[in-house]
Amino acid sequence: MSVALLWVVSPCDVSNGTSFMESVREGNRFFDSSRHRNLVPNERINRGGGKQTNNGRKFSVRSAILATPSGERTMTSEQMVYDVVLRQAALVKRQLRSTNEFEVKPDIPIPGNLGLLSEAYDRCGEVCAEYAKTFNLGTMLMTPERRRAIWAIYVWCRRTDELVDGPNASYITPAALDRWENRLEDVFNGRPFDMLDGALSDTVSNFPVDIQPFRDMIEGMRMDLRKSRYKNFDELYLYCYYVAGTVGLMSVPIMGIAPESKATTESVYNAALALGIANQVTNILRDVGEDARRGRVYLPQDELAQAGLSDEDIFAGRVTDKWRIFMKKQIHRARKFFDEAEKGVTELSSASRFPVWASLVLYRKILDEIEANDYNNFTKRAYVSKSKKLIALPIAYAKSLVPPTKTVSLQR
Ligand SMILES: CC(C)=CCC/C(C)=C/CC/C(C)=C/CC/C(C)=C/[C@@H]1[C@@H](COP(=O)(O)OP(=O)(O)O)[C@]1(C)CC/C=C(\C)CC/C=C(\C)CCC=C(C)C
Ligand SMILES: [Mn+2]
C-alpha cells in the first residue's frame, strides 16, 4: 500500500475544533510519516462535537420511513428514494436558473491556501488511483475541475465504506457514525476537518451537490451495523440505495448533463440511481460466499424461501440446481437495473460519459463471470480479467461517443 493512502491519526490531539489550515498541516505531517495506518479515521479522529446542523434540508429517507403514524410503511423503498432523486434534480435546476445562488463559498480558496487545496485534491487523486485504477483512468478524459471533484467524492465514499469494511471496522459504533455525520455537516458548512474533507468542502461549494445522499450513505453503514438479513427485495433495495445509489446521485451534479440533452433532469438522476443499485446488487451476488463467512446474507429471504433455499444452504456453499435457478433470477434483475442505467449515460456531458460507460460495462461483466463460474459464488470470486477489460474499454469508449437523444425520450 502506498504511503499516500495511509491515514495517520495523532495519538493525542485531534478535535473537531481544528481549523482547515491546522488540519492540512496535520495532514501533511501525517502523510509524510512512514508510520503505516489505514485510510479511515479511527474512533479518536471521529470523536468531537461538530455542531449538528440540518443545512436547511430536512427530508431524509429514514425520516420518511419513521414518519408514518402507525409505524407502518405506506410507500415502497423505491418510491421513498425517488423523493431524494427529485430533490437533487431540483437543486441542479435551481442552479441552472441562478448561478449566483452558489456564490457563498467556504473560506478555503483564499490566496495562500490554493496550493494546499490543490495538494488536497492531489491526495484524493492518489487514493483514487490506488483503489480504483480503471475508473481513475476513465476520469482522465473529464475536465480537470470535474475530475478532481469526482476524486474528492470518491475519497469520502471510500473512507465512509472503510469505516464498516476496513481494518478498524470492529471499533465502529453508531456513535462513531454520528460523529462522522457531524463532520459531514461541517464539510458542507465550509468547516472541513482535514485536508481530504477540505477537498470535498471545496467541491460541494462549486457544484450543486445535495448533502442528503451523503447522509444516506452513512445511514447505509448504520444499517450494516444493525442488520444482517433482508426480508425481501424492497428492504434490500433500500440498503443498495444507501450504499451505492447515493453514489450515482452525488456524481451526476459533477459530471453534468449534456447541454443538448432533451432528457429530464429527473430521468438522468433516476438512471444514475439505477446504476448504483445495479452495481451493488452485482457486488452482493459476487460476494455471497465472502459475506456468508462474516455471517451476512444480503439476499432477499422471501425469494430464497420461494426457491426452497435457506441460510443453511448458503453457509454450506453447495451449488445445486435450486441455487442456479435462484441465481439466474437475481442476475436477471441486476441486468434490468443496468439496462435502466444505460438510458441515462448518453445524456451526460460528453467528457463524463466514458468513465461511466467503462464502469457500467466492466461491472456488468461480473455477472457474466458468475455465470461462467457455473454460479459458484461461494468459493470462486467472479472477476473480469485484464484481457477482457482491454477488449471492453474500446467498446465503452465507442459508446461514449454517441450523443444525447434528440427527442424527449426519458420522461418519467
Ligand atoms: C464514473 C463513476 C463510476 C463514478 C463514481 C465515482 C465514485 C464517487 C465512486 C464511489 C464508490 C465507493 C467507494 C462507494 C462506497 C460504497 C461502496 C464500496 C459501494 C460499491 C462499489 C464498488 O466498489 P468495490 O467493488 O470496490 O466494492 P468493495 O468495497 O470491494 O466490496 C459499489 C458496488 C457501488 C458504487 C456505485 C457506483 C460506482 C455508482 C455509479 C453511478 C454513477 C457514477 C452515475 C452515472 C450516471 C448515469 C446517468 C448512469
Ligand atoms: Mn465494501
Side-chain angles (χ1 to χ4, degrees), residues 20-21 24 105-114 116-117 120 187 190-192 197-203 205:
F20 176 65
M21 290 294 290
V24 170
K105 302 236 169 96
D107 58 352
I108 313 155
I110 53 169
N113 273 1
L114 276 177
L116 294 174
L117 186 59
V187 164
R191 290 195 304 272
D197 280 355
L200 183 61
S201 216
D202 183 63
T203 288
S205 76

mmCIF file of all heavy atoms in Angstrom, residues 20-21 24 105-114 116-117 120 187 190-192 197-203 205:
data_model
loop_
_atom_site.group_PDB
_atom_site.id
_atom_site.type_symbol
_atom_site.label_atom_id
_atom_site.label_comp_id
_atom_site.label_asym_id
_atom_site.label_seq_id
_atom_site.Cartn_x
_atom_site.Cartn_y
_atom_site.Cartn_z
ATOM 1 N N PHE A 20 -9.068 24.368 9.187
ATOM 2 C CA PHE A 20 -8.623 23.679 7.975
ATOM 3 C C PHE A 20 -7.112 23.730 7.839
ATOM 4 O O PHE A 20 -6.454 22.754 7.531
ATOM 5 C CB PHE A 20 -9.291 24.299 6.740
ATOM 6 C CG PHE A 20 -8.799 23.700 5.459
ATOM 7 C CD1 PHE A 20 -9.038 22.367 5.174
ATOM 8 C CD2 PHE A 20 -8.083 24.464 4.565
ATOM 9 C CE1 PHE A 20 -8.566 21.806 3.997
ATOM 10 C CE2 PHE A 20 -7.622 23.892 3.379
ATOM 11 C CZ PHE A 20 -7.857 22.569 3.105
ATOM 12 N N MET A 21 -6.546 24.955 8.100
ATOM 13 C CA MET A 21 -5.096 25.102 7.965
ATOM 14 C C MET A 21 -4.371 24.123 8.880
ATOM 15 O O MET A 21 -3.429 23.468 8.477
ATOM 16 C CB MET A 21 -4.689 26.531 8.325
ATOM 17 C CG MET A 21 -5.116 27.572 7.326
ATOM 18 S SD MET A 21 -4.277 27.339 5.768
ATOM 19 C CE MET A 21 -2.622 27.820 6.255
ATOM 20 N N VAL A 24 -4.728 20.653 7.582
ATOM 21 C CA VAL A 24 -3.864 20.392 6.436
ATOM 22 C C VAL A 24 -2.437 20.187 6.907
ATOM 23 O O VAL A 24 -1.753 19.278 6.466
ATOM 24 C CB VAL A 24 -3.960 21.547 5.414
ATOM 25 C CG1 VAL A 24 -2.901 21.411 4.343
ATOM 26 C CG2 VAL A 24 -5.334 21.550 4.781
ATOM 27 N N LYS A 105 -19.064 30.777 -0.702
ATOM 28 C CA LYS A 105 -18.078 29.697 -0.677
ATOM 29 C C LYS A 105 -17.448 29.601 0.702
ATOM 30 O O LYS A 105 -17.324 30.581 1.406
ATOM 31 C CB LYS A 105 -16.978 30.000 -1.699
ATOM 32 C CG LYS A 105 -17.492 30.160 -3.107
ATOM 33 C CD LYS A 105 -16.774 29.200 -4.031
ATOM 34 C CE LYS A 105 -17.438 29.144 -5.371
ATOM 35 N NZ LYS A 105 -16.809 30.019 -6.333
ATOM 36 N N PRO A 106 -17.009 28.407 1.084
ATOM 37 C CA PRO A 106 -16.276 28.305 2.350
ATOM 38 C C PRO A 106 -14.935 29.029 2.212
ATOM 39 O O PRO A 106 -14.523 29.339 1.098
ATOM 40 C CB PRO A 106 -16.069 26.806 2.519
ATOM 41 C CG PRO A 106 -16.158 26.254 1.150
ATOM 42 C CD PRO A 106 -17.086 27.140 0.393
ATOM 43 N N ASP A 107 -14.287 29.255 3.342
ATOM 44 C CA ASP A 107 -13.117 30.132 3.292
ATOM 45 C C ASP A 107 -11.836 29.401 2.909
ATOM 46 O O ASP A 107 -10.773 29.785 3.293
ATOM 47 C CB ASP A 107 -12.950 30.800 4.657
ATOM 48 C CG ASP A 107 -12.793 29.769 5.750
ATOM 49 O OD1 ASP A 107 -12.976 28.572 5.460
ATOM 50 O OD2 ASP A 107 -12.476 30.141 6.872
ATOM 51 N N ILE A 108 -11.956 28.352 2.115
ATOM 52 C CA ILE A 108 -10.732 27.620 1.770
ATOM 53 C C ILE A 108 -9.921 28.295 0.652
ATOM 54 O O ILE A 108 -8.763 28.562 0.829
ATOM 55 C CB ILE A 108 -11.040 26.171 1.347
ATOM 56 C CG1 ILE A 108 -11.995 25.561 2.343
ATOM 57 C CG2 ILE A 108 -9.772 25.361 1.268
ATOM 58 C CD1 ILE A 108 -12.785 24.449 1.721
ATOM 59 N N PRO A 109 -10.593 28.619 -0.488
ATOM 60 C CA PRO A 109 -9.734 29.006 -1.599
ATOM 61 C C PRO A 109 -9.229 30.442 -1.556
ATOM 62 O O PRO A 109 -9.245 31.121 -2.550
ATOM 63 C CB PRO A 109 -10.619 28.770 -2.828
ATOM 64 C CG PRO A 109 -11.963 28.382 -2.327
ATOM 65 C CD PRO A 109 -11.987 28.603 -0.873
ATOM 66 N N ILE A 110 -8.807 30.956 -0.424
ATOM 67 C CA ILE A 110 -8.190 32.285 -0.416
ATOM 68 C C ILE A 110 -6.725 32.129 -0.820
ATOM 69 O O ILE A 110 -6.137 31.078 -0.579
ATOM 70 C CB ILE A 110 -8.320 32.973 0.969
ATOM 71 C CG1 ILE A 110 -7.794 32.060 2.073
ATOM 72 C CG2 ILE A 110 -9.737 33.417 1.251
ATOM 73 C CD1 ILE A 110 -7.640 32.745 3.409
ATOM 74 N N PRO A 111 -6.149 33.172 -1.427
ATOM 75 C CA PRO A 111 -4.762 33.038 -1.888
ATOM 76 C C PRO A 111 -3.878 32.550 -0.740
ATOM 77 O O PRO A 111 -4.053 32.946 0.403
ATOM 78 C CB PRO A 111 -4.385 34.465 -2.305
ATOM 79 C CG PRO A 111 -5.687 35.133 -2.560
ATOM 80 C CD PRO A 111 -6.699 34.494 -1.680
ATOM 81 N N GLY A 112 -2.966 31.708 -1.042
ATOM 82 C CA GLY A 112 -2.119 31.153 0.024
ATOM 83 C C GLY A 112 -2.584 29.762 0.372
ATOM 84 O O GLY A 112 -1.798 28.871 0.627
ATOM 85 N N ASN A 113 -3.916 29.589 0.396
ATOM 86 C CA ASN A 113 -4.449 28.253 0.665
ATOM 87 C C ASN A 113 -4.611 27.448 -0.605
ATOM 88 O O ASN A 113 -4.854 26.254 -0.561
ATOM 89 C CB ASN A 113 -5.823 28.351 1.330
ATOM 90 C CG ASN A 113 -5.697 28.473 2.830
ATOM 91 O OD1 ASN A 113 -4.590 28.496 3.342
ATOM 92 N ND2 ASN A 113 -6.818 28.550 3.507
ATOM 93 N N LEU A 114 -4.528 28.148 -1.741
ATOM 94 C CA LEU A 114 -4.791 27.462 -3.015
ATOM 95 C C LEU A 114 -3.847 26.292 -3.239
ATOM 96 O O LEU A 114 -4.256 25.251 -3.729
ATOM 97 C CB LEU A 114 -4.678 28.463 -4.171
ATOM 98 C CG LEU A 114 -5.946 29.270 -4.426
ATOM 99 C CD1 LEU A 114 -5.693 30.278 -5.537
ATOM 100 C CD2 LEU A 114 -7.107 28.358 -4.795
ATOM 101 N N LEU A 116 -2.487 24.493 -0.944
ATOM 102 C CA LEU A 116 -2.867 23.400 -0.048
ATOM 103 C C LEU A 116 -4.082 22.675 -0.588
ATOM 104 O O LEU A 116 -4.186 21.452 -0.511
ATOM 105 C CB LEU A 116 -3.156 23.949 1.354
ATOM 106 C CG LEU A 116 -1.941 24.520 2.068
ATOM 107 C CD1 LEU A 116 -2.365 25.168 3.388
ATOM 108 C CD2 LEU A 116 -0.891 23.460 2.308
ATOM 109 N N LEU A 117 -4.992 23.470 -1.142
ATOM 110 C CA LEU A 117 -6.195 22.871 -1.700
ATOM 111 C C LEU A 117 -5.827 21.960 -2.862
ATOM 112 O O LEU A 117 -6.309 20.833 -2.966
ATOM 113 C CB LEU A 117 -7.142 23.981 -2.166
ATOM 114 C CG LEU A 117 -8.503 23.529 -2.649
ATOM 115 C CD1 LEU A 117 -9.257 22.780 -1.565
ATOM 116 C CD2 LEU A 117 -9.321 24.743 -3.109
ATOM 117 N N ALA A 120 -4.480 18.917 -1.541
ATOM 118 C CA ALA A 120 -5.552 18.059 -1.002
ATOM 119 C C ALA A 120 -6.191 17.250 -2.135
ATOM 120 O O ALA A 120 -6.417 16.042 -2.019
ATOM 121 C CB ALA A 120 -6.603 18.922 -0.299
ATOM 122 N N VAL A 187 -18.360 19.742 6.728
ATOM 123 C CA VAL A 187 -17.813 19.850 5.366
ATOM 124 C C VAL A 187 -18.732 20.725 4.521
ATOM 125 O O VAL A 187 -18.290 21.638 3.817
ATOM 126 C CB VAL A 187 -17.669 18.444 4.731
ATOM 127 C CG1 VAL A 187 -17.483 18.537 3.217
ATOM 128 C CG2 VAL A 187 -16.505 17.679 5.354
ATOM 129 N N GLY A 190 -18.569 24.424 5.200
ATOM 130 C CA GLY A 190 -17.289 25.089 4.959
ATOM 131 C C GLY A 190 -16.319 24.997 6.116
ATOM 132 O O GLY A 190 -15.430 25.829 6.240
ATOM 133 N N ARG A 191 -16.500 23.969 6.976
ATOM 134 C CA ARG A 191 -15.556 23.792 8.089
ATOM 135 C C ARG A 191 -14.935 22.400 8.033
ATOM 136 O O ARG A 191 -15.192 21.549 8.883
ATOM 137 C CB ARG A 191 -16.287 23.982 9.422
ATOM 138 C CG ARG A 191 -16.719 25.414 9.686
ATOM 139 C CD ARG A 191 -17.106 25.598 11.153
ATOM 140 N NE ARG A 191 -18.137 24.662 11.559
ATOM 141 C CZ ARG A 191 -19.444 24.900 11.433
ATOM 142 N NH1 ARG A 191 -19.872 26.025 10.917
ATOM 143 N NH2 ARG A 191 -20.320 24.004 11.829
ATOM 144 N N PRO A 192 -14.111 22.158 7.019
ATOM 145 C CA PRO A 192 -13.547 20.810 6.869
ATOM 146 C C PRO A 192 -12.608 20.465 8.005
ATOM 147 O O PRO A 192 -11.951 21.345 8.560
ATOM 148 C CB PRO A 192 -12.804 20.899 5.548
ATOM 149 C CG PRO A 192 -12.508 22.339 5.355
ATOM 150 C CD PRO A 192 -13.630 23.096 5.996
ATOM 151 N N ASP A 197 -11.212 16.177 3.627
ATOM 152 C CA ASP A 197 -12.501 16.861 3.803
ATOM 153 C C ASP A 197 -12.473 18.230 3.130
ATOM 154 O O ASP A 197 -13.481 18.710 2.615
ATOM 155 C CB ASP A 197 -12.798 17.077 5.305
ATOM 156 C CG ASP A 197 -13.346 15.828 5.973
ATOM 157 O OD1 ASP A 197 -13.580 14.830 5.259
ATOM 158 O OD2 ASP A 197 -13.541 15.853 7.204
ATOM 159 N N GLY A 198 -11.300 18.872 3.182
ATOM 160 C CA GLY A 198 -11.165 20.210 2.589
ATOM 161 C C GLY A 198 -11.446 20.167 1.096
ATOM 162 O O GLY A 198 -12.109 21.060 0.549
ATOM 163 N N ALA A 199 -10.955 19.112 0.442
ATOM 164 C CA ALA A 199 -11.212 18.977 -1.000
ATOM 165 C C ALA A 199 -12.712 18.820 -1.243
ATOM 166 O O ALA A 199 -13.283 19.459 -2.135
ATOM 167 C CB ALA A 199 -10.449 17.770 -1.550
ATOM 168 N N LEU A 200 -13.369 18.025 -0.395
ATOM 169 C CA LEU A 200 -14.815 17.826 -0.588
ATOM 170 C C LEU A 200 -15.583 19.117 -0.312
ATOM 171 O O LEU A 200 -16.541 19.456 -1.005
ATOM 172 C CB LEU A 200 -15.314 16.687 0.321
ATOM 173 C CG LEU A 200 -16.788 16.336 0.164
ATOM 174 C CD1 LEU A 200 -17.100 15.876 -1.260
ATOM 175 C CD2 LEU A 200 -17.216 15.255 1.157
ATOM 176 N N SER A 201 -15.146 19.850 0.715
ATOM 177 C CA SER A 201 -15.794 21.115 1.049
ATOM 178 C C SER A 201 -15.740 22.059 -0.149
ATOM 179 O O SER A 201 -16.727 22.725 -0.495
ATOM 180 C CB SER A 201 -15.050 21.723 2.240
ATOM 181 O OG SER A 201 -15.917 22.369 3.088
ATOM 182 N N ASP A 202 -14.588 22.103 -0.787
ATOM 183 C CA ASP A 202 -14.442 22.949 -1.965
ATOM 184 C C ASP A 202 -15.365 22.448 -3.089
ATOM 185 O O ASP A 202 -16.048 23.243 -3.735
ATOM 186 C CB ASP A 202 -12.973 22.912 -2.417
ATOM 187 C CG ASP A 202 -12.724 23.835 -3.589
ATOM 188 O OD1 ASP A 202 -12.900 25.055 -3.424
ATOM 189 O OD2 ASP A 202 -12.374 23.341 -4.690
ATOM 190 N N THR A 203 -15.381 21.138 -3.275
ATOM 191 C CA THR A 203 -16.217 20.558 -4.337
ATOM 192 C C THR A 203 -17.687 20.911 -4.148
ATOM 193 O O THR A 203 -18.357 21.352 -5.080
ATOM 194 C CB THR A 203 -16.034 19.014 -4.345
ATOM 195 O OG1 THR A 203 -14.737 18.733 -4.858
ATOM 196 C CG2 THR A 203 -17.068 18.320 -5.207
ATOM 197 N N SER A 205 -18.945 23.293 -2.655
ATOM 198 C CA SER A 205 -19.242 24.721 -2.794
ATOM 199 C C SER A 205 -19.222 25.143 -4.266
ATOM 200 O O SER A 205 -19.694 26.207 -4.618
ATOM 201 C CB SER A 205 -18.249 25.558 -1.984
ATOM 202 O OG SER A 205 -17.015 25.608 -2.651
#
